[in-house]
Amino acid sequence: MNADMYVWGFPRWKHPVVRQCFPGKRVRFVPRGTAIPLNATLVVWGMDAGPDQRPDLQIIRMEDGFLRSVGLGADLVRPMSWVADSSGIYYDATRASNLEKILINTRFDTAMLNRAAALRGKIVAAGLTKYNVGAQRWQRPQHATKVILVPGQVESDASLAWGAPGIRTNMGLLQRVRQHNPDAWVVYKPHPDVLAGLRLQGQGEDAAAQYCNEVVTDVNISNLFDAVDELHVLTSLAGFEAILRDKPVVCYGQPFYAGWGLTRDELPHPRRTRRLSVDELVAGVLIEYPLYLSRCGKHRVTPEQALDDLAAWRQRHGGREPWWRELFRMVLRRVAGVR
């Protein structure tokens, strides 16, 4: 990797986070349209095309990690983990990302698997998820014999564009789940960015109650994991979080955690022929792949340190948002054009 890294079109609030991810590198932030030198390393966000994808450039794609924060990325809450991928990005199922290569090729030794098992145990015991929002608890209906959780997604999200070649809408997913499970108690949880008003509802999402038994909002999804029998997802990270808790997961898209023998997959994964244990998946997804960042903003940390910091952060937060958050969201909605 070149010493100079050109970071293309990142908003200013992300600049210190990028520097924290690449200690020892000369990081140059450039606006879109800037001329990039030949054979440079270019950092872009997600599936940004960069300057016409010149073949001489080494592209590194960055995205949120899987244990991110207490609060939403759309709220500009500073992250505790990002990923940096030089092959693709984890949610792009059309090609092998660094994560997929790790999961296909790495032979995890006993020490790494023990570390993964301990990390998974701490995540589950602490009830941690990606965003750690939601203050209410949910009670399973006493009469329900099979309860299915369907987590909603932001329909403009890149993980649906690049990882869901079939169904790509929340209502399409709900309808399919209801069709296949006519007697189940189906619980739909809209995406937290949508509930916060920071992203638009999906097509026809107002009609969700027609296809499910219940719509839940201000509930921590970790509480739902404990109370349901299965998760049915497109590409939602909630499916991976459910795997950590030994819950059956049915995938209608091609998320990074599908195709390894741990999920029931509606679509084939021809590249993913290896069968993984849960702890092998955790070793690749939560230890080998992401970058973890200290909350002081000065250095990188281990997954275990990040987990401890995240748990302490959530304990102080208490699952409730600060009083000023909705005022800040009003500004963000205006900037983003979401009403």
Side-chain angles (χ1 to χ4, degrees), residues 76-98:
L76 311 190
V77 176
R78 202 177 198 282
M80 290 195 65
S81 69
W82 273 358
V83 301
D85 198 312
S86 59
S87 300
I89 197 68
Y90 65 86
Y91 53 73
D92 178 7
T94 67
R95 56 180 164 169
S97 64
N98 284 358

Side-chain angles (χ1 to χ4, degrees), residues 152-169:
Q153 294 185 240
V154 177
E155 290 186 2
S156 60
D157 191 79
S159 74
L160 293 179
W162 296 91
I167 301 170
R168 287 187 179 174
T169 67

Side-chain angles (χ1 to χ4, degrees), residues 165-233:
I167 301 170
R168 287 187 179 174
T169 67
N170 294 318
M171 292 307 95
L173 174 61
L174 263 180
Q175 290 170 24
R176 182 70 62 85
V177 172
R178 176 53 77 202
Q179 178 186 359
H180 289 177
N181 303 272
D183 299 321
W185 186 272
V186 178
V187 179
Y188 179 65
K189 187 179 191 305
H191 192 278
D193 284 349
V194 173
L195 291 173
L198 298 168
R199 296 290 186 268
L200 294 174
Q201 274 192 328
Q203 182 179 353
E205 197 164 346
D206 281 333
Q210 295 181 23
Y211 308 104
C212 67
N213 300 89
E214 195 172 352
V215 177
V216 299
T217 54
D218 187 29
V219 174
N220 189 306
I221 197 167
S222 181
N223 166 237
L224 289 169
F225 291 144
D226 295 336
V228 304
D229 298 306
E230 295 179 357
L231 264 78
H232 288 231
V233 302

